[in-house]
Amino acid sequence: MWITPEEVLLANALWVSERANPFFILQRRKGHGKGGGITGLLVGTMDVVLDSSARVAPYRILHQTGDSQIFWSIACGSSRKEITGHWEWLETNLLQTLSIFDNDEDITTFVKGKVSGIIAEENKSKAAQEDEDSGKFREAEQKMRKLFGMPGEEKLVNYYSCSYWKGRVPRQGWVYLSVNHLCFYSFLLGKEVTLVVQWTEVTRLEKNATLVFPESVRVSTRHTEHYFSMFLNINDTFKLMEQLATIAMRQLLDNEGFSADRTLPKACKTLKNVSALKRDLDARAKNERYRALFRLTPDERLDGHTDCTLWTPFAKMHIVGQLFVSNNYICFCSREEDLCQLIIPLREVSIVEKADSSSVLPCPVSISTKNKMTFLFANLKDRDFLVQRISDFLQRTPDKLWSDGHPLALSGYSVSQSEGMCVSPSPSTTPLSSSLPTPTGAGGEPSQGRHYSPSLPTATQGLLRIYQKDDPEDHGPKATKEKMKEESWNIHFFEFGRGVCMYRTSKTRELVLNGIPESLRGELWLLFSGAQNEMATHPGYYAELVEQAMGRCTLATEEIERDLHRSMPEHHAFQNEMGIAALRRVLTAYACRNPGIGYCQAMNIVTSVLLLYCTEEEAFWLLVALCERMLPDYYNTRVVGALVDQGVFEELTRECLPLLYEHMQELGVISTISLSWFLTLFLSVMPFDSAVLLVDCFFYEGIKVIFQVALAVLHANMDTLLGCTDEGEAMTILGRYLDNVVNKQTVSPPIPHLHALLTSGDEPPPEIDVFQLIKSSYDQKFGSLRADVIEQMRFKQRLKVIQSLEDTAKRSVVRAIMTDSAFSIEELEELYVLFKAKHIMSCYWGASCTAAERHDPSLPYLEQYRIDLEQFCQLFGALGTWLCGTHTVTLAARHFRLLDSNKDGLINFKEFVTGLSGMYHGDMTEKLKLLYKLHLPIDILPLQDSSCIAIRIQCNIVMSVSEVKDYKYYLRMWAKEKEPKIETIKDLPRMNQEQFIELCKTLYNMFSEDPLEQELYHAIATVASLLLRIGEVGKKFTNNGAKKPTDTTYTQAPTLSAELPQPEKEESNGESSSGQSLVCKALAEAQLETPPQQTSDEEVKDDTSVSSYSMVSTGSLQCEDIADDTVLIGCAGDQQRRGSTLDGDWSITFEQVLASMLTEPPLVDYFEKKGDIQARMATCKMQRGVERQVSSSSDHELAQLST
């Protein structure tokens, strides 16, 4: 490529000149190409270790004038072909022009200007992202693609110098981290090491330090482990590896490929070795931490953060921390944990102004909100820029969603939204239709045919308040305690503020741990979870979503209906239609919003508790916060999030309670108990009044409080559990303990706990105060658990869980398909790996359709993943037994069309294996039948789908109703119709002449690589001639012996051979010769498709003396096999073939094809031979390694291989 002219002082140091003219020199770096010796090895090693740009460009062109000792580097190339193209361009376009100049300086100026102009033109055509990357980084990306054979779609994120431990010897080189691969390359003293690992294959990624591997990164796959060390900054490298592995696991989970974030602001200046993708991933990591810290929505983008101080009026002091600004929020977090946290939505901001600066309060900024709260930030480094950014975001903020005196801005209480408000769905929501259905309401539903309206009781208050409003007021000690809690919170609101802009301090946390009053529970859940912000920015969304979702019949709605009456049946709020209908609407609306999750068991239990304290809309947004942010991946089809946290819990148990962990692992208890604890937040295993206090803590603290309480439960029962001898005994002990965790301060009437009734014994164990349990979980060593530590553990377990699920899916697929396939279990597993690799490749290397169209998680495992025609052709070429040269693609396309039963352009793994089984394990009849069907139009093949069977059943029933009244007749008929109909050879339609010619072309190409190709060519020639005459005879019978006039365009065609039987005398000369002529023409075309083989002069001379067999390529037969009257294909018969036309009445059946084939032993042996798929699969797996090895070989190595 052309490069910006750079001055070179020593032109011949480590370089060899190969071409020269008065103005330019083409040079090759030592160590590349032929020769080089020890100097070449040393130079090559130095280039790799030092990451010299010459390693990317082993060739260069220098500019020099006259006797000047200064050279200018103007071009470089990674191959001789590339640099030669530049050299020829210079000689053609510049040499004559430069000879006109008299001054050497003018020549140099002209050359530099010309090269700079070429570079400028090239840069205009490059993508914007590439323009952001530095030149050195683009060189590294080119180097990666060249070394490892990667396509242009594979993007490099970053590269690092490190050592790769191969055995006990470290190999110094460079690791390249791309979006989908981890690659390593080393070249030391002639020894080359190349490694490529797909991120989707990584099962473990750890950073550790041992005596053998000092501070290294271990990358584990299912079969191998790789160690990398000697990083300059191992922490940054490992964080990037974690991000890329997480993206790959998300790809396995959701089949969503990586897409760069185009909304990122461009860098102020191009960083030296940082790509745009690296900036993208860094921004994503910061955004994720920011959103998790302040419980914000997934579409929130962090714009920047800065150190500052916040004046806290409640403490009368300045608190040091960081100020975060994003597109919709201003947030503050103190440097000391739990000291102070603040969230200010921009929709609530009324004034932002710069206050007077002083020595006590330098560079302050005052922010006022609509509820009359003022926040004072100081010690801001760039106050003017900060105020300008906030002003810009305020201008983009939509019109005020809430009026100045709206109660929600002050208290967090929700109000009914008018039905006419528009919906502003978030990116993760399902688009709503503009016209909403108006089905007739059922009993208990609102009038006017709508399913939800603000007039519903559950639209304005929670179910608990609805059913307790008629209860007499309680003045007992529990009620007094509840009033005291309410008063404590009111004092807190007065001192720290109320609503979204409330100061959140350690005092807030203390109040939450002491229990939230029932009257404030819904409000504070919304506040702490972040659901209030999402509800405020989406007015009317829930109402419209309900109208769209209700009335649909899907798998999710069926599961919801099944579980509605199992949701807290012991609570009186769900013993009537009002509570059940509200629960139905919330769950159905969420299933419509997020089809990826739909509905999962345990969602009904959690949602029913939310509805007790919140309105329907509030419960819906709380459910969104739970499923999409606070408990990620918990409620998808495979409960991956819960399994991940189950693994985290086991790891925490091993660290905190090692003695108990060993015993519990032997019993297998931890994995059994923890899943239900996490999925329902203890609501299904604890009395309701106690478990709801854990939900209070969960919404404030997050998942860490659930881990702490679970560890505290195990610690409290450790002595008893250590004495258990089986799993059942341990489960009973833990079950009884949790059943007796009581809340002695509750004011609600006692609710019978079904789990407690089932696990109660003769002697009830002592009661455990839930407040004491929560306090012990914080006081003991479990209280030091941090959110960032949990996230690190989650990453490690996520790799393990998802790869384990993939292995389970593979085993399930193999078990489901092994009875219908002749392949062994090991072969099916290998085929599944190859098929899945093609599917995953489609997700990140330019698929013709989206991954969502290729992946349907609702289907069985063996039907979930699908590939398109292009990927099938690649697998067919690598694994198929019927390879036909250039005709292979055509045959593969026909095979794909036959397998694609639903005509959606995709086939699943079951269909793929079915197609391969016919080629590898079918007998001769099955293989010929498959070949026969491949050359027939799909629309004339017999249909055997369920819809046709159903139509036949209905027709038969209707026809026989008036005749037969015995119900047993219907049962017999139904059973007969349900039996799978086996396709016989008589069901296949007839083949016309054009299709027969295509079949002959396919067979001709198939035999070209066979060791017995001579015998096979003779055999197929005989069979083709016989079938042509059979078709002619059949045509006479079909036409009742009537003869057609001979077409004047027919001419005498070449006969097949003197060895073949001649046509009957009564056949017309034109008819018999026309069909043979067409076959000869087709086979001539097939011959032309076969790539020519290189032959020596002697071989050419020998071939010229031998005539070609009429159905065989020239030179394939000996002289004695050829008849005297044989005409060469492609020579004398050219005019004759041009005049031939197809016979529309000619046709043959499959029985005739099969019978003709059976007369030739070579054909029988060929089609009865079993294929070896193991060898082809091994070749397919090694193919990419071979490509990488060839692409990374130097010119010198290739020269040695060629000799």
Side-chain angles (χ1 to χ4, degrees):
M1 64 180 180
W2 301 103
I3 59 175
T4 303
E6 296 179 356
E7 192 174 303
V8 178
L9 296 178
L10 298 176
N12 296 319
L14 306 179
W15 291 85
V16 178
S17 297
E18 294 194 340
R19 295 189 187 182
N21 59 43
F23 304 103
F24 303 104
I25 303 173
L26 190 154
Q27 292 186 327
R28 171 179 53 84
R29 188 149 176 102
K30 292 181 180 179
H32 297 270
K34 297 181 180 180
I38 188 65
T39 305
L41 293 178
L42 291 175
V43 173
T45 301
M46 183 178 64
D47 287 343
V48 172
V49 173
L50 300 180
D51 190 33
S52 171
S53 59
R55 179 62 187 171
V56 179
Y59 300 93
R60 71 180 182 182
I61 296 176
L62 301 180
H63 165 65
Q64 183 193 27
T65 57
D67 299 329
S68 174
Q69 297 301 316
I70 299 177
F71 297 82
W72 295 88
S73 176
I74 60 173
C76 64
S78 58
S79 64
R80 186 179 296 276
K81 181 179 178 181
E82 180 185 2
I83 203 68
T84 303
H86 290 340
W87 179 264
E88 291 174 352
W89 186 91
L90 291 171
E91 288 185 330
T92 304
N93 297 279
L94 290 189
L95 276 186
Q96 188 175 0
T97 305
L98 295 178
S99 61
I100 302 174
F101 288 91
D102 297 329
N103 190 344
D104 290 348
E105 294 183 2
D106 294 341
I107 294 176
T108 302
T109 304
F110 179 80
V111 171
K112 290 166 64 177
K114 192 68 176 178
V115 173
S116 299
I118 296 173
I119 295 173
E121 288 296 325
E122 290 179 347
N123 288 339
K124 288 181 181 179
S125 61
K126 290 183 179 179
Q129 180 181 344
E130 292 184 352
D131 288 339
E132 294 180 12
D133 295 338
S134 65
K136 186 171 179 62
F137 188 87
R138 287 201 297 269
E139 288 179 0
E141 190 169 43
Q142 292 176 8
K143 176 180 176 181
M144 179 202 73
R145 292 172 183 164
K146 176 188 173 227
L147 291 176
F148 308 106
M150 298 291 178
E153 295 85 358
E154 185 69 2
K155 302 297 183 183
L156 177 66
V157 180
N158 212 346
Y159 62 105
Y160 303 93
S161 172
C162 69
S163 293
Y164 169 59
W165 292 79
K166 190 173 183 181
R168 294 186 177 182
V169 180
R171 300 296 180 92
Q172 184 66 29
W174 292 83
V175 62
Y176 297 85
L177 305 181
S178 70
V179 173
N180 304 295
H181 297 86
L182 180 152
C183 308
F184 177 83
Y185 180 80
S186 173
F187 180 84
L188 294 176
L189 299 178
K191 292 188 177 180
E192 193 175 41
V193 176
T194 304
L195 173 70
V196 176
V197 178
Q198 281 190 348
W199 290 117
T200 52
E201 295 296 324
V202 174
T203 58
R204 195 171 183 180
L205 188 63
E206 287 184 313
K207 182 179 66 175
N208 49 26
T210 62
L211 292 176
V212 181
F213 303 109
E215 199 169 22
S216 61
V217 174
R218 179 172 69 174
V219 181
S220 304
T221 63
R222 288 178 175 84
H223 308 293
T224 58
E225 289 186 347
H226 308 284
Y227 290 89
F228 302 90
S229 63
M230 304 294 289
F231 290 97
L232 294 178
N233 192 333
I234 191 171
N235 293 325
D236 288 348
T237 308
F238 186 72
K239 285 180 181 178
L240 180 57
M241 288 181 173
E242 282 185 328
Q243 280 185 281
L244 295 171
T246 301
I247 291 173
M249 294 305 105
R250 177 57 57 187
Q251 188 177 331
L252 288 176
L253 193 60
D254 298 336
N255 278 265
E256 295 180 357
F258 174 81
S259 57
D261 189 352
R262 302 297 181 186
T263 63
L264 280 177
K266 290 190 177 182
C268 299
K269 60 179 181 179
T270 302
L271 302 178
K272 183 178 179 182
N273 289 325
V274 178
S275 65
L277 278 178
K278 180 65 166 60
R279 288 180 50 242
D280 182 355
L281 292 174
D282 290 343
R284 290 184 188 215
K286 291 179 180 178
N287 282 331
E288 289 172 3
R289 289 194 295 269
Y290 170 65
R291 291 193 294 259
L293 181 61
F294 298 104
R295 307 277 172 79
L296 301 178
T297 55
D299 57 344
E300 198 62 26
R301 303 294 178 87
L302 178 64
D303 187 70
H305 59 89
T306 182
D307 293 332
C308 69
T309 59
L310 171 65
W311 171 254
T312 51
F314 54 88
K316 301 295 187 294
M317 62 181 292
H318 291 277
I319 296 179
V320 179
Q322 280 192 321
L323 181 69
F324 301 84
V325 178
S326 59
N327 47 337
N328 293 299
Y329 298 91
I330 301 171
C331 302
F332 174 84
C333 184
S334 61
R335 185 175 298 173
E336 184 179 345
E337 191 177 1
D338 291 333
L339 189 58
C340 182
Q341 192 182 84
L342 184 64
I343 301 174
I344 309 173
L346 291 181
R347 66 178 185 273
E348 300 293 334
V349 173
S350 58
I351 300 174
V352 178
E353 59 183 352
K354 292 181 282 187
D356 294 333
S357 181
S358 65
S359 59
V360 180
L361 203 63
C363 301
V365 171
S366 174
I367 299 177
S368 301
T369 62
K370 288 181 282 189
N371 60 352
K372 311 305 179 186
M373 293 184 68
T374 301
F375 305 96
L376 189 61
F377 300 95
N379 291 283
L380 294 164
K381 293 182 180 178
D382 197 344
R383 181 176 61 165
D384 295 337
F385 178 76
L386 175 65
V387 172
Q388 183 60 45
R389 291 301 294 166
I390 296 175
S391 301
D392 293 341
F393 286 127
L394 283 172
Q395 290 177 1
R396 300 174 197 168
T397 304
D399 293 339
K400 280 61 180 177
L401 297 174
W402 314 104
S403 60
D404 290 346
H406 202 288
L408 182 60
L410 300 175
S411 63
Y413 290 113
S414 75
V415 295
S416 305
Q417 301 300 317
S418 62
E419 295 177 10
M421 283 191 175
C422 63
V423 178
S424 303
S426 63
S428 60
T429 61
T430 304
L432 299 180
S433 58
S434 56
S435 58
L436 296 174
T438 56
T440 305
E445 298 292 336
S447 57
Q448 289 92 31
R450 295 185 66 85
H451 293 278
Y452 177 82
S453 75
S455 61
L456 282 172
T458 53
T460 56
Q461 52 188 336
L463 289 171
L464 204 60
R465 185 171 297 181
I466 294 174
Y467 284 95
Q468 288 182 352
K469 62 182 179 180
D470 297 330
D471 294 345
E473 186 175 357
D474 188 4
H475 297 285
K478 291 185 178 180
T480 304
K481 183 73 172 177
E482 187 77 3
K483 291 291 184 182
M484 292 175 62
K485 285 184 180 180
E486 292 180 8
E487 187 61 28
S488 298
W489 276 99
N490 288 330
I491 295 173
H492 184 275
F493 292 148
F494 178 78
E495 189 175 357
F496 297 91
R498 188 169 188 174
V500 289
C501 299
M502 179 179 70
Y503 291 96
R504 307 178 194 199
T505 66
S506 55
K507 178 67 173 177
T508 312
R509 176 184 175 189
E510 184 180 339
L511 287 175
V512 171
L513 296 183
N514 288 332
I516 299 176
E518 290 186 353
S519 59
L520 298 175
R521 185 161 275 148
E523 172 191 345
L524 293 176
W525 282 0
L526 283 169
L527 177 64
F528 297 145
S529 66
Q532 180 173 317
N533 290 319
E534 203 161 7
M535 186 173 69
T537 53
H538 295 77
Y541 175 78
Y542 172 72
E544 292 198 21
L545 194 60
V546 169
E547 299 305 324
Q548 183 189 8
M550 295 299 292
R552 289 184 177 182
C553 184
T554 63
L555 179 62
T557 57
E558 292 177 3
E559 294 176 345
I560 289 170
E561 290 297 328
R562 185 184 62 214
D563 287 349
L564 282 176
H565 295 279
R566 305 176 187 173
S567 308
M568 295 189 69
E570 66 276 11
H571 200 287
H572 55 278
F574 296 98
Q575 294 171 357
N576 56 75
E577 184 58 27
M578 181 186 294
I580 295 296
L583 183 59
R584 178 187 293 113
R585 285 191 292 271
V586 173
L587 291 175
T588 306
Y590 185 77
C592 180
R593 167 191 166 87
N594 194 338
I597 293 179
Y599 172 77
C600 175
Q601 285 188 345
M603 286 174 66
N604 59 320
I605 297 175
V606 176
T607 308
S608 60
V609 173
L610 300 178
L611 282 169
L612 290 177
Y613 300 98
C614 307
T615 66
E616 280 189 40
E617 186 176 9
E618 292 170 346
F620 170 79
W621 288 113
L622 279 170
L623 185 62
V624 169
L626 273 174
C627 297
E628 298 175 11
R629 297 196 299 275
M630 302 190 72
L631 296 175
D633 299 324
Y634 257 60
Y635 299 107
N636 56 23
T637 53
R638 297 189 281 182
V639 293
V640 173
L643 293 174
V644 168
D645 281 351
Q646 176 180 294
V648 173
F649 181 57
E650 291 186 13
E651 190 172 349
L652 289 172
T653 306
R654 183 175 67 248
E655 293 179 3
C656 302
L657 306 169
L659 187 61
L660 180 61
Y661 171 78
E662 295 295 335
H663 185 67
M664 295 283 277
Q665 283 294 99
E666 295 175 2
L667 301 179
V669 177
I670 296 180
S671 60
T672 306
I673 60 175
S674 56
L675 198 59
S676 61
W677 292 4
F678 296 134
L679 275 174
T680 63
L681 304 177
F682 285 96
L683 288 167
S684 63
V685 294
M686 256 189 206
F688 169 74
D689 295 327
S690 303
V692 77
L693 293 174
L694 296 182
V695 178
D696 293 343
C697 301
F698 167 75
F699 278 122
Y700 186 80
E701 293 275 28
I703 192 63
K704 82 167 198 172
V705 71
I706 303 298
F707 285 120
Q708 290 176 187
V709 172
L711 290 171
V713 170
L714 292 183
H715 183 264
N717 294 274
M718 184 166 62
D719 295 337
T720 313
L721 291 172
L722 288 174
C724 294
T725 57
D726 57 48
E727 178 185 359
E729 185 180 357
M731 299 253 324
T732 302
I733 291 171
L734 292 172
R736 288 184 179 179
Y737 178 87
L738 293 172
D739 291 338
N740 288 274
V741 176
V742 297
N743 179 8
K744 300 179 181 179
Q745 300 179 10
T746 181
V747 295
S748 301
I751 301 172
H753 188 218
L754 296 182
H755 191 267
L757 297 176
L758 295 173
T759 60
S760 60
D762 299 333
E763 297 182 4
E767 293 182 343
I768 300 96
D769 188 0
V770 65
F771 293 101
Q772 189 62 37
L773 177 62
I774 294 174
K775 183 179 179 182
S776 65
S777 70
Y778 278 90
D779 291 344
Q780 296 177 4
K781 54 185 176 181
F782 321 130
S784 60
L785 196 58
R786 298 199 319 271
D788 58 339
V789 175
I790 292 176
E791 286 303 318
Q792 184 64 35
M793 291 181 174
R794 276 179 166 177
F795 165 75
K796 186 190 302 183
Q797 295 298 327
R798 191 178 292 113
L799 292 177
K800 180 180 177 182
V801 167
I802 293 180
Q803 296 292 11
S804 176
L805 289 174
E806 290 297 309
D807 292 340
T808 302
K810 180 173 68 175
R811 290 191 294 268
S812 300
V813 168
V814 170
R815 282 197 301 267
I817 208 173
M818 62 183 298
T819 56
D820 302 328
S821 172
F823 291 115
S824 66
I825 294 178
E826 293 78 12
E827 290 172 343
L828 286 174
E829 289 182 348
E830 291 292 335
L831 285 174
Y832 180 82
V833 170
L834 293 174
F835 185 89
K836 182 75 178 295
K838 284 293 178 186
H839 167 82
I840 291 178
M841 191 179 297
S842 69
C843 296
Y844 56 71
W845 278 353
S848 57
C849 59
T850 62
E853 295 173 351
R854 297 168 178 267
H855 180 249
D856 186 357
S858 64
L859 295 174
Y861 282 129
L862 58 94
E863 299 177 13
Q864 283 188 11
Y865 303 108
R866 298 179 287 178
I867 59 175
D868 59 15
L869 173 60
E870 181 182 356
Q871 294 161 339
F872 176 80
C873 289
Q874 295 171 2
L875 287 176
F876 185 89
L879 301 175
T881 57
W882 297 341
L883 303 183
C884 311
T886 57
H887 194 62
T888 303
V889 177
T890 304
L891 188 64
R894 291 173 178 170
H895 203 171
F896 180 87
R897 186 181 58 180
L898 184 65
L899 296 174
D900 186 14
S901 56
N902 58 356
K903 309 300 182 232
D904 62 348
L906 300 169
I907 63 169
N908 57 42
F909 180 68
K910 184 178 182 181
E911 294 167 336
F912 174 72
V913 170
T914 302
L916 283 183
S917 295
M919 288 191 293
Y920 275 95
H921 299 290
D923 56 19
M924 180 177 181
T925 303
E926 292 176 351
K927 291 180 179 178
L928 287 176
K929 185 164 67 173
L930 176 59
L931 265 177
Y932 186 88
K933 290 166 68 175
L934 290 179
H935 294 81
L936 294 176
I938 296 298
D939 53 357
I940 69 171
L941 291 175
L943 296 175
Q944 290 299 323
D945 58 357
S946 57
S947 60
C948 297
I949 296 175
I951 292 173
R952 290 200 301 269
I953 292 173
Q954 294 174 1
C955 294
N956 291 337
I957 291 178
V958 171
M959 293 172 60
S960 59
V961 164
S962 58
E963 302 174 4
V964 184
K965 297 183 180 180
D966 186 5
Y967 72 93
K968 294 182 179 179
Y969 171 82
Y970 298 113
L971 294 178
R972 288 194 299 270
M973 183 176 62
W974 178 267
K976 185 177 180 180
E977 290 288 349
K978 293 298 287 183
E979 291 178 359
K981 187 176 185 304
I982 302 176
E983 184 185 58
T984 64
I985 59 176
K986 294 184 178 181
D987 295 328
L988 295 174
R990 299 177 71 88
M991 176 178 283
N992 63 29
Q993 197 172 77
E994 180 182 5
Q995 295 155 5
F996 173 69
I997 291 172
E998 290 297 319
L999 176 62
C1000 290
K1001 287 176 63 176
T1002 300
L1003 291 171
Y1004 175 86
N1005 284 288
M1006 283 171 54
F1007 300 152
S1008 62
E1009 300 295 332
D1010 195 274
L1012 301 176
E1013 59 177 337
Q1014 304 293 332
E1015 292 84 351
L1016 291 171
Y1017 287 150
H1018 282 290
I1020 197 59
T1022 304
V1023 169
S1025 178
L1026 178 60
L1027 287 172
L1028 283 171
R1029 295 200 305 275
I1030 290 175
E1032 295 293 338
V1033 174
K1035 182 177 68 174
K1036 294 180 182 297
F1037 283 104
T1038 304
N1039 295 335
N1040 296 322
K1043 292 189 177 182
K1044 290 186 177 182
T1046 304
D1047 197 317
T1048 57
T1049 61
Y1050 289 170
T1051 56
Q1052 182 65 36
T1055 58
L1056 291 175
S1057 174
E1059 296 178 357
L1060 303 182
Q1062 298 298 322
E1064 299 292 336
K1065 291 182 179 180
E1066 59 267 25
E1067 292 181 357
S1068 63
N1069 207 16
E1071 290 173 340
S1072 62
S1073 63
S1074 175
Q1076 295 178 3
S1077 172
L1078 289 169
V1079 172
C1080 293
K1081 175 183 177 182
L1083 297 180
E1085 295 172 356
Q1087 179 184 358
L1088 295 176
E1089 293 175 1
T1090 306
Q1093 297 181 357
Q1094 297 179 353
T1095 55
S1096 63
D1097 296 338
E1098 289 77 15
E1099 290 172 340
V1100 173
K1101 291 178 181 178
D1102 293 339
D1103 289 342
T1104 57
S1105 62
V1106 182
S1107 298
S1108 166
Y1109 193 63
S1110 60
M1111 293 193 66
V1112 191
S1113 59
T1114 305
S1116 60
L1117 298 178
Q1118 302 300 324
C1119 293
E1120 56 267 27
D1121 296 326
I1122 308 299
D1124 296 333
D1125 57 349
T1126 300
V1127 180
L1128 293 179
I1129 290 177
C1131 301
D1134 196 36
Q1135 278 296 117
Q1136 300 163 344
R1137 289 194 309 275
R1138 195 175 292 116
S1140 302
T1141 59
L1142 292 171
D1143 191 343
D1145 295 330
W1146 188 96
S1147 65
I1148 56 174
T1149 64
F1150 175 72
E1151 297 100 308
Q1152 294 167 343
V1153 174
L1154 178 61
S1156 302
M1157 293 282 193
L1158 289 172
T1159 62
E1160 295 294 329
L1163 294 177
V1164 174
D1165 294 340
Y1166 179 85
F1167 285 104
E1168 288 290 349
K1169 181 174 58 178
K1170 301 295 182 183
D1172 182 13
I1173 198 171
Q1174 288 283 3
R1176 291 187 178 274
M1177 287 191 297
T1179 303
C1180 187
K1181 287 190 294 185
M1182 292 296 294
Q1183 182 178 4
R1184 184 153 188 81
V1186 171
E1187 291 175 356
R1188 286 197 303 270
Q1189 183 178 357
V1190 172
S1191 65
S1192 62
S1193 298
S1194 64
D1195 294 344
H1196 175 62
E1197 291 166 335
L1198 292 177
Q1200 289 180 335
L1201 289 173
S1202 62
T1203 56

